[in-house]
Amino acid sequence: MSVVLGKQEEALPPILPAAESLPAPKETTTKPVTVIRPRNAWVPLDLWEIWRFRELWLFLTWRDIKVRYRQTVLGVLWAVIQPLFAVLIFTLFFGRLAGMPSDGIPYPLFAYAGLLPWLFFANAVTQGSNSLVNSAHLITKVYFPRLLIPASAVGAAAVDFCIAFTLLLVLYFWHAWRGLIAFPGLNMLLVVPLMVLLALLALGVGLWMSALNVRYRDIRHAIPFLIQIWMFATPIIYPASLVPERYRWILAINPLAGIIEAFRAVCFGLPMDWLSLAISVVVSGAILIVAAYGFRRMEKGFADVI
Amino acid sequence: MAAVFLENVHLTFRVRQQYQITLKEYLLRGMFRASRNPIREIHALRDVGLRLRAGDRFGIIGGNGAGKSTLLKLLAGIYAPTRGTRRVVGRISSLFELSLGFEMEASGRQNILYRGYLQGETPRSMRKKLDEIAEFSELGEFLDTPVRYYSAGMLVRLAFSIATAIEPEILLVDEVLSAGDLSFQEKARKRMREMMSKAQILVVVSHDLDSLRRICDRGIWLDHGQVRAEGPIDQVITAYTSHVEHRRAA
């Protein structure tokens, strides 16, 4: 191989050996093969790669929780305090003063059971949408599946949810003890698949928002009030039955409505609205798939603009 | 066998003079008059090709801003080529910056795991290395305290110990590192040499031409994102230095 020099002003002559002169590389299935195509191309999700990095996801989740409660006296108790005080205020204004119906469930319990999944979703999306920008120092220095960063925000929100859920159980048994509601049955276990569905929806929205936020920092300012509007568009502080029959379909388009109503139905043994839950599953799935592919497409440009 | 291929790789950054895009700008997009905040294209790499196979020791030289580190980051997968293809067979490990991602709240030991996971290690592969890294760093019981209480020297030692504990297939190094106080430096240099000799493919960016001559057998000289020379490292270095001297004389 010889050294070829070109003058700076001239077009440079080809220097590298012709492709044919080198043997093709042997490909084996055991070695990871990475082909990076130019940006803007649609790329496969490569779930295997994400699975390979699962430990990193756990660590990032742990870090998110640790950072959130750093230097706080009450620590993770905040995960309970936030929904608790929200419920107190809602109970006072909507339950007592406005006399909001609550499907025959004591209003505080009704509101808390709606707020829990909602707060999980809202936290996951809010934290998730800022997560990439906050991890700029990692993104510009090392390659790993970027999807794990917003996914860790969902993980951290899930931990908060689990802590707050224990209080729901306490409230629940206390009300049941006093005979205000029936004792919970085994159908309460259905909470688990519902939360998985909600986590997938939160991941989908979080992926989308975080990727957009890298390029358009407007998202950071838009998210808080989008979340607030979304909250009122979802039957959290009011029951879906309050909405007149002919407008019910508007609620059904909102994938959160079906999930949260189902969450309450499972908790309190109310009749399940299978149709709106089915719509939620379809809409959530569609959001997640589109968001995941869009994210993979956009992630190549993250390091340039972040 | 590990291999790295770049074919006709171009990398272009589109930047605006001002970072902010105003809403008006966004909506009008220079429809009526020339934008006062035009997009400038910066050609970081132009038509770069590389073929590296197991056993290669490859050096990249060039002036400041020539695209050396950018090329390394592209090889690592941090940037994707604007045009052309990058193909990598094998696992890439990169040593760019020691300060990469310490979690200040986590202990030294947790950070060892974290950094390992960032580089694609698994719990099983890390279990074997954890003790070895801990021992090499000489941090002893400090490994169980949060990293935020470490002195600068301790941080460097920990970072170096982690970064060099990998068993690389393809190793990308930006500036040959040196770390810590005198006694640690001696140890560090030896460990660095060992690691580089274990890699199947080594790509080094450096301004230290003498060490490049020792470490590498082939290399390229990058200038304004273009390959000016490619071949045996001695000849590439000679070409580069004579060019620099020529410019200085003129």
Side-chain angles (χ1 to χ4, degrees):
Chain A
M1 222 176 283
S2 65
V3 173
V4 187
L5 284 178
K7 288 219 180 70
Q8 210 169 349
E9 296 77 23
E10 293 168 11
L12 294 168
I15 295 161
L16 293 171
E20 306 81 76
S21 66
L22 289 168
K26 262 193 218 126
E27 281 183 38
T28 56
T29 44
T30 51
K31 288 240 191 287
V33 179
T34 331
V35 181
I36 295 206
R37 295 182 193 82
R39 55 198 67 188
N40 292 329
W42 291 95
V43 281
L45 283 182
D46 203 356
L47 293 174
W48 167 241
E49 185 191 48
I50 293 161
W51 175 245
R52 217 159 46 87
F53 277 87
R54 62 194 180 278
E55 297 299 326
L56 183 60
W57 175 72
L58 281 177
F59 189 93
L60 290 173
T61 298
W62 174 85
R63 178 198 67 170
D64 284 356
I65 296 163
K66 191 99 176 168
V67 166
R68 195 171 325 159
Y69 299 118
R70 184 176 76 195
Q71 299 253 329
T72 57
V73 179
L74 296 176
V76 288
L77 269 184
W78 281 110
V80 181
I81 294 169
Q82 281 170 345
L84 191 63
F85 274 81
V87 163
L88 284 180
I89 292 165
F90 289 152
T91 306
L92 188 64
F93 284 95
F94 296 107
R96 294 286 147 129
L97 295 179
M100 182 77 77
S102 52
D103 289 347
I105 312 294
Y107 188 81
L109 200 55
F110 172 87
Y112 194 76
L115 261 177
L116 276 195
W118 164 256
L119 277 179
F120 162 70
F121 177 81
N123 281 337
V125 169
T126 312
Q127 307 280 343
S129 60
N130 287 322
S131 60
L132 284 177
V133 175
N134 292 342
S135 301
H137 60 286
L138 288 182
I139 290 173
T140 52
K141 286 190 194 121
V142 64
Y143 176 77
F144 58 95
R146 275 68 166 103
L147 198 143
L148 293 175
I149 297 177
S152 73
V154 178
V159 172
D160 277 359
F161 171 84
C162 291
I163 294 163
F165 190 76
T166 55
L167 182 66
L168 178 69
L169 289 179
V170 171
L171 282 177
Y172 202 92
F173 279 101
W174 187 64
H175 279 92
W177 186 256
R178 292 173 53 206
L180 295 170
I181 51 167
F183 266 101
L186 275 179
N187 54 352
M188 199 146 183
L189 289 176
L190 286 173
V191 162
V192 177
L194 281 175
M195 288 312 293
V196 171
L197 176 61
L198 188 56
L200 293 178
L201 175 62
L203 180 63
V205 179
L207 284 177
W208 211 326
M209 291 300 132
S210 62
L212 282 176
N213 195 24
V214 170
R215 199 168 286 272
Y216 306 107
R217 302 287 158 95
D218 312 79
I219 298 292
R220 166 180 300 213
H221 304 289
I223 283 284
F225 75 79
L226 278 181
I227 287 287
Q228 204 159 21
I229 293 169
W230 203 338
M231 175 174 161
F232 287 106
T234 308
I236 294 163
I237 51 178
Y238 57 89
S241 55
L242 192 72
V243 179
E245 198 76 48
R246 56 204 158 108
Y247 297 123
R248 209 64 74 72
W249 62 271
I250 303 178
L251 269 193
I253 301 172
N254 174 2
L256 265 174
I259 297 175
I260 287 184
E261 277 289 301
F263 186 88
R264 264 202 294 245
V266 164
C267 283
F268 304 126
L270 302 172
M272 190 78 129
D273 186 350
W274 289 104
L275 178 64
S276 75
L277 183 61
I279 294 173
S280 296
V281 171
V282 173
V283 174
S284 306
I287 289 178
L288 180 63
I289 289 169
V290 173
Y293 276 98
F295 188 91
R296 288 288 292 176
R297 198 171 82 111
M298 286 190 276
E299 74 176 350
K300 293 175 188 167
F302 287 168
D304 315 358
V305 287
I306 204 159
Chain B
M1 281 312 228
V4 175
F5 299 91
L6 293 185
E7 270 162 39
N8 310 105
V9 163
H10 292 254
L11 182 65
T12 314
F13 295 122
R14 290 157 59 95
V15 289
R16 285 169 187 272
Q17 240 123 44
Q18 284 128 306
Y19 186 72
Q20 280 283 329
I21 314 162
T22 64
L23 185 63
K24 198 176 82 182
E25 186 74 40
Y26 183 76
L27 294 176
L28 295 179
R29 285 253 169 104
M31 233 196 294
F32 302 113
R33 54 197 157 127
S35 169
R36 269 178 301 170
N37 184 14
I39 294 174
R40 267 196 321 143
E41 296 214 324
I42 294 179
H43 299 277
L45 294 175
R46 302 173 208 234
D47 203 17
V48 174
L50 279 185
R51 289 178 163 259
L52 304 177
R53 276 166 305 147
D56 278 349
R57 297 284 176 268
F58 200 78
I60 303 175
I61 57 175
N64 287 327
K68 305 184 296 292
S69 300
T70 309
L71 177 57
L72 220 51
K73 281 189 170 179
L74 185 127
L75 287 173
I78 296 169
Y79 297 131
T82 315
R83 268 194 289 148
T85 46
R86 160 193 181 272
R87 252 174 73 82
V88 171
V89 185
R91 207 161 63 97
I92 289 193
S93 310
S94 48
L95 272 186
F96 296 157
E97 232 169 299
L98 284 178
S99 64
L100 163 74
F102 270 128
E103 274 312 321
M104 289 298 161
E105 295 304 315
S107 72
R109 218 174 278 279
Q110 285 166 324
N111 266 295
I112 295 176
L113 290 173
Y114 172 50
R115 294 272 295 260
Y117 298 153
L118 269 179
Q119 293 175 344
E121 299 275 356
T122 58
R124 204 184 312 149
S125 64
M126 281 310 288
R127 208 172 302 145
K128 279 181 286 176
K129 287 177 193 161
L130 190 58
D131 293 329
E132 191 268 329
I133 295 172
E135 193 192 333
F136 188 85
S137 68
E138 297 175 4
L139 285 168
E141 60 208 60
F142 281 106
L143 280 173
D144 294 313
T145 42
V147 165
R148 61 151 65 215
Y149 301 115
Y150 282 26
S151 74
M154 288 159 78
L155 275 177
V156 170
R157 252 197 274 172
L158 180 62
F160 184 88
S161 309
I162 299 170
T164 51
I166 39 182
E167 283 149 29
E169 286 179 3
I170 302 165
L171 179 64
L172 312 174
V173 183
D174 198 345
E175 286 298 341
V176 184
L177 310 153
S178 65
D181 53 30
L182 271 177
S183 73
F184 191 76
Q185 244 177 50
E186 192 51 43
K187 243 174 88 176
R189 212 168 290 147
K190 183 159 162 272
R191 183 169 162 107
M192 191 77 193
R193 268 201 302 275
E194 276 172 17
M195 182 182 65
M196 295 205 284
S197 66
K198 272 190 278 182
Q200 291 185 35
I201 295 179
L202 173 71
V203 183
V204 187
V205 163
S206 183
H207 288 290
D208 182 358
L209 299 179
D210 285 333
S211 17
L212 278 185
R213 226 187 284 263
R214 254 182 293 120
I215 300 166
C216 304
D217 44 26
R218 283 203 300 142
I220 52 169
W221 162 25
L222 275 183
D223 188 18
H224 290 90
Q226 280 173 311
V227 180
R228 286 287 293 271
E230 201 264 355
I233 191 75
D234 284 326
Q235 296 178 36
V236 174
I237 289 177
T238 313
Y240 172 61
T241 46
S242 69
H243 172 80
V244 172
E245 271 157 28
H246 184 74
R247 280 248 299 259
R248 197 179 295 151

